[in-house]
Amino acid sequence: MSNSKDVYLMGYSGHAYVVADIALANNYSIKGYFDFQKSLKNPYKIHFLGNENEVDVPKIIADAAVFPAIGSNLIREKVTNFIIKNGLKQIRLFAPSSFISNNAEIESSTVIGPNAVVNSLSTIGLGSIINSGAIVEHECSLGSFSHLAPGAILAGNVKVGKRTFIGANAVVKQGVEIGDNVVIGAGCVVIEDIPSNGTWVGNPARNITKHAK
């Protein structure tokens, strides 16, 4: 019999171990995980339940929650859509050491890591990752299935689109707008708006997409 503090993970490698730590810190019981194959590492001794596309996930999960514990924006979006399509319960996971303003809006299937900050009137889209020590200042907007790597900073009033990755210790100047499907490199300093679809690195940020072969 499941209860309100039971959760299953979709994916169990890399980023999933961080998700597991945060779930356990919030007194969730992790009942098992789904993945395309059994993980070679199992530090939490979680039961492998099979590939979600090959088993009856709703029947296994019953009334428990399920969380997309996947670092890739594109795969996390696909898995979250699977969760929604099957009417499965979603949750949010916030590390106890994070700070989240009472008037910030955080959508489901989002994880916020240790020592991360989400300040007043910011909005975080569905299935996003705010990693360890990342800062989302006041009135920022982060689109669905985006990912702030450890130490990334969005200054006030920054707008970020969907499926965008902002690398470790990158800084985005206040008021800047970044489009969908953008990659911002580690340590990058963004001082101007960035359109959708591209990879940007350096200080100040420059587009290197056109140089890719």
Side-chain angles (χ1 to χ4, degrees), residues 10-13 15-16 19 67-73 75-76 79 129:
M10 291 287 191
Y12 190 52
S13 64
H15 173 69
V19 170
F67 196 90
I70 298 163
S72 165
N73 290 342
I75 299 175
R76 192 168 65 259
V79 170
I129 297 172

Side-chain angles (χ1 to χ4, degrees), residues 5-24 28-37 39 41-52 55 57 60-61 64-70 79-80 82-83 88-89 91-93 109 111:
K5 298 296 284 188
D6 287 345
V7 64
Y8 293 81
L9 302 182
M10 291 287 191
Y12 190 52
S13 64
H15 173 69
Y17 305 138
V18 177
V19 170
D21 273 335
I22 295 171
L24 293 170
Y28 279 93
S29 175
I30 304 173
K31 307 302 290 185
Y33 73 93
F34 300 90
D35 211 329
F36 67 93
Q37 64 182 17
S39 178
K41 294 181 180 179
N42 191 1
Y44 300 96
K45 311 302 180 187
I46 303 172
H47 296 297
F48 174 57
L49 300 170
N51 185 327
E52 68 271 17
V55 298
V57 175
I60 294 172
I61 289 177
V66 59
F67 196 90
I70 298 163
V79 170
T80 302
F82 173 91
I83 292 168
L88 304 174
K89 179 183 176 182
I91 58 172
R92 306 173 301 171
L93 290 174
S109 295
V111 60

Side-chain angles (χ1 to χ4, degrees), residues 130-176:
I130 312 296
N131 227 315
S132 306
I135 297 174
V136 179
E137 264 300 342
H138 62 89
E139 300 166 277
C140 289
S141 174
L142 183 68
S144 296
F145 311 112
S146 288
H147 184 162
L148 297 187
I153 298 174
L154 306 183
N157 291 291
V158 170
K159 310 301 179 189
V160 178
K162 297 179 180 179
R163 296 176 298 275
T164 285
F165 175 85
I166 299 181
N169 296 314
V171 178
V172 183
K173 179 185 174 183
Q174 63 268 24
V176 163

